[in-house]
Structures are given as structure tokens and as C-alpha cells.
Amino acid sequence: MSEQYSCIGCGVKIQTEDREAIGYAPTSALEKEEIICQRCFRLKHYNEVQDVHLTDDDFLKILNEIGKSDALIVKIVDIFDFNGSWLPGLHRFVGNNKILLVGNKVDLLPKSVKPNKLINWMKQEAKELGLRPEEVFLVSASKGQFINEVAAAIDEYREGKDVYVVGCTNVGKSTFINRILKEVTGEGDVITTSHFPGTTLDIIEIPLSDGKALVDTPGIINHHQMAHYVDKRDLKIITPKKEIKPKVYQLNEGQTLFFGGLARFDYLTGGRRSFVCHFSNEINIHRTKFEKADELYRNHAGELLTPPRMEDMETFPELVKHEFTIKEGKTDIVFSGLGWITVNEPGAKVAAYVPKGVHALIRKSLI
């Protein structure tokens, strides 16, 4: 039925089945003369951008478009999940376009973190991942912190060009754009305009005062993010909403920590030492002996060790072991999308277990 209609705002095909998917409009909207998808409707009437999700192929199409255009790119990452929310491969498509890197959710990190140190750390990490941003910013889109500075920088670096905002799902990209819109437009009525010829993607162009546009690209799904393996209800538990409180554990060799039933950490060798855990305050950390760990997981994952929930255990991927030797002090062991453990002294041998498909890695300490 809905095949014939497309949105006057962004040109996407209208569908009435799936609220979360691209092109959704309630059935009642089909009776109106001008049909508009829910995402454009919300943007036009409430100045709000909603996130929609892309497949990898869709994302490659968008990257190609960006590479061909002359524009400023604003890349959003989640500081709490820096590696999990990094878009690999973006640097190959950027062409000569300038990039601003924006770390969102700075309000989640402990207050003791020095912003300048963090910005330098992000520059270093970006460089190692192949990206050289013009500038790096920290913001809290949900709290509206430092949005003015970024808005000013966007205006300066775009030099009268279009602006593309890119990022993974769950990094707060929509909240960020909504803040920028309020900053830039005041409360003016925002009309969405065309999508790109030849693509049916729900790319939304938000006009800027000089006739150029701020282009919102849908959120890209990063397959190694922990969020894909947990029940929607448990996302609240693993995704911190307020400042995280680091927890310090003194461990002897042969001790194990479980983070719910989602991840496990074994301390193998290196003498008694302390490990600082940076995870959502809601996650239960359970300490046990290495020799009891397998049995504990077999018998109690989904009940004592949650999330995941009991009913999800059948489909939950097995935990895969990654061994690391900590060669330098101040190193983080990262459980992508969940949190990290900081080791201050070199010489420890450890193992991190994460669901098959999720990344575990070590990096220079963030905090």
C-alpha cells in the first residue's frame, strides 16, 4: 500500500510498519495532501533529529558522497566507548575535507579528568587510527556543555561549505545536532530538504543561513559494540547516565572479576596489585577465584551474573579469551562498549573475556 508515497521532506519511501526504521509515518499521515516521514516531521515542528540506523552498504554510499563533495566533516565519538564508537575507514573517504572530532558524554568521566589531557589523548588515538582532525572538542550533548565552542568552530572551519555530521549509533549524534540547531537557529522553523540523487537514504539536510546545509547522516551500526548483545532493557545498566565512580580492586594472582555475565577479567601473574575499574555504576562486579570461574559462569550466568537475562542466555555468544601482557605503566584494558580497567604498573599478565564479536584491546591510559 505504502509503496507509492515518498516524503516531501527527504524523499525517502514512506512505510507504516516499523517505527524505528527509515521512512516511518503513521497510517493517518497518508490521508494528508503532503506526506512527511516522522523524522522530518519532528525536525520541522520540534527542531529534533531522530536517529535511524544504516547498513554497511548504505554507509559506504554516504562515505562516497562525502568524499566527492567539498564539505566540513564533524565526527562524533562516545568518550566512554571511544574505540567501540570509532568509525573505522572514515579517513580513506575524507578526501581533502577537513574534520573536526567531537568527543561526547564528557559528563560521564570522573571530575578528576583534566580536559586538556583528554584532548591530547584523543588526538594521539585518532592519529594512530589514521585520522588527523583539525581540532578536537569535548562536549556533553545531553547537558549542553561546550556546545557554543563547537558551533563557533564549525562555522569557522566550514568556510561557507556544507557540514556533514557522522557517527555510530548510540554516540548521541542526534542530541548533538539538536543542540547545535537550537544554538544556530534559535527557535526558527527548520524545513528539511532533498536527499541525494540516486540514493534512497534518509539523509536530512538542514539549511544554514548562507544557503548551505548541515547534513545529518543516519547512525552507523558498529558490529563490535557490546550494545548489540544485550536486551534493550539492559542497555540502561551498561550505558552510564551519570559520572562513573571508579572502583579499585586489590587482586592476587589467580583472581577473577565478572562484570555481570557480559565480560570477565582474569589476573594471571604479576604479584598482588590494584586494578581500577571504570564501568557504569549499575554494573555488578563479582570477584571469585580463577579455578571456580568457569563453573560459576556455567551455573549462574543470567541470574547471579546479569545482564544478560536468563531468557537471553541461549542466544548470548560465548565469551572469548584475549590475553595481554602489560608492558608499560598506565595502561587500559578495554572491554568495547562496556568500560575499561586501568593498570598503573607494568608487568601484569591478564586475560579479558568478551562476547564473540566484541573487541577487547589495550591502550594508553585515558585517565
Side-chain angles (χ1 to χ4, degrees):
M1 161 78 184
S2 57
E3 291 307 292
Q4 307 89 324
Y5 301 113
S6 53
C7 168
I8 58 158
C10 64
V12 74
K13 273 203 179 109
I14 293 286
Q15 52 88 12
T16 54
E17 311 292 305
D18 182 355
R19 281 175 168 277
E20 301 293 311
I22 283 177
Y24 174 78
T27 320
S28 58
L30 303 182
E31 289 147 28
K32 303 211 163 72
E33 252 170 56
E34 297 196 320
I35 295 170
I36 185 167
C37 75
Q38 185 173 285
R39 190 160 169 246
C40 286
F41 181 86
R42 294 201 68 84
L43 184 59
K44 185 175 173 187
H45 294 285
Y46 305 110
N47 269 2
E48 270 180 24
V49 180
Q50 284 177 304
D51 220 0
V52 294
H53 305 338
L54 280 193
T55 66
D56 297 0
D57 290 350
D58 291 339
F59 179 47
L60 286 174
K61 276 187 204 151
I62 288 186
L63 282 180
N64 278 316
E65 295 284 352
I66 294 177
K68 285 184 224 152
S69 59
D70 185 16
L72 173 69
I73 299 166
V74 179
K75 172 170 175 162
I76 315 281
V77 292
D78 173 349
I79 298 180
F80 185 74
D81 182 18
F82 185 87
N83 304 81
S85 65
W86 188 263
L87 289 178
L90 178 67
H91 58 281
R92 292 199 293 277
F93 290 90
V94 171
N96 299 322
N97 294 332
K98 291 182 171 173
I99 292 197
L100 300 180
L101 180 60
V102 178
N104 189 22
K105 306 190 188 177
V106 68
D107 53 306
L108 298 180
L109 296 180
K111 297 252 187 314
S112 56
V113 179
K114 302 276 180 288
N116 283 349
K117 235 184 108 174
L118 191 50
I119 284 174
N120 286 332
W121 180 91
M122 281 175 67
K123 282 183 182 154
Q124 193 54 41
E125 286 287 306
K127 193 170 141 193
E128 282 179 25
L129 291 161
L131 203 66
R132 294 180 182 274
E134 302 295 315
E135 277 198 59
V136 175
F137 295 92
L138 299 173
V139 302
S140 164
S142 67
K143 300 255 190 331
Q145 293 168 327
F146 313 116
I147 293 291
N148 309 10
E149 288 92 320
V150 179
I154 288 176
D155 213 43
E156 177 191 338
Y157 281 104
R158 75 187 187 90
E159 296 165 344
K161 299 171 185 172
D162 291 336
V163 181
Y164 285 82
V165 184
V166 297
C168 284
T169 50
N170 302 326
V171 297
K173 185 169 64 66
S174 302
T175 318
F176 172 79
I177 291 182
N178 292 334
R179 287 279 181 188
I180 292 278
L181 279 182
K182 291 201 168 50
E183 199 59 45
V184 177
T185 60
E187 286 300 315
D189 189 14
V190 175
I191 308 288
T192 62
T193 59
S194 66
H195 67 307
F196 291 106
T199 64
T200 51
L201 293 174
D202 201 2
I203 288 181
I204 288 190
E205 296 190 1
I206 300 148
L208 298 167
S209 55
D210 57 4
K212 292 296 180 188
L214 176 72
V215 183
D216 174 36
T217 62
I220 291 101
I221 290 177
N222 223 350
H223 300 285
H224 57 82
Q225 281 175 299
M226 186 70 84
H228 302 307
Y229 299 98
V230 299
D231 186 288
K232 273 208 168 72
R233 294 166 294 182
D234 293 329
L235 265 180
K236 298 200 287 289
I237 296 176
I238 72 167
T239 313
K241 290 283 173 287
K242 47 182 194 278
E243 184 187 334
I244 53 169
K245 303 271 177 273
K247 297 189 175 98
V248 182
Y249 286 85
Q250 297 288 340
L251 297 186
N252 294 318
E253 296 179 0
Q255 285 190 305
T256 292
L257 298 176
F258 278 104
F259 301 92
L262 295 172
R264 163 180 165 182
F265 172 75
D266 290 348
Y267 177 35
L268 304 172
T269 58
R272 185 174 168 81
R273 59 172 71 210
S274 59
F275 295 88
V276 188
C277 299
H278 300 92
F279 292 81
S280 159
N281 304 333
E282 315 287 309
I283 286 187
N284 286 321
I285 302 180
H286 189 90
R287 184 201 311 229
T288 186
K289 288 201 167 83
F290 179 56
E291 58 266 23
K292 293 190 180 151
D294 287 347
E295 188 189 349
L296 181 77
Y297 193 78
R298 262 198 313 278
N299 297 337
H300 296 289
E303 40 176 67
L304 171 70
L305 305 173
T306 59
R309 294 158 187 255
M310 209 50 185
E311 64 263 33
D312 301 328
M313 283 313 295
E314 282 186 16
T315 54
F316 192 71
E318 58 173 323
L319 296 185
V320 178
K321 178 180 183 183
H322 304 260
E323 281 199 15
F324 300 107
T325 303
I326 308 299
K327 298 204 169 85
E328 30 191 284
K330 306 249 187 293
T331 296
D332 291 338
I333 302 140
V334 180
F335 300 76
S336 192
L338 198 60
W340 66 92
I341 298 174
T342 303
V343 190
N344 286 322
E345 307 291 328
K349 195 169 178 202
V350 302
Y353 296 71
V354 284
K356 193 179 170 144
V358 172
H359 288 181
L361 54 123
I362 55 176
R363 67 180 183 199
K364 199 169 170 338
S365 170
L366 170 72
I367 294 181

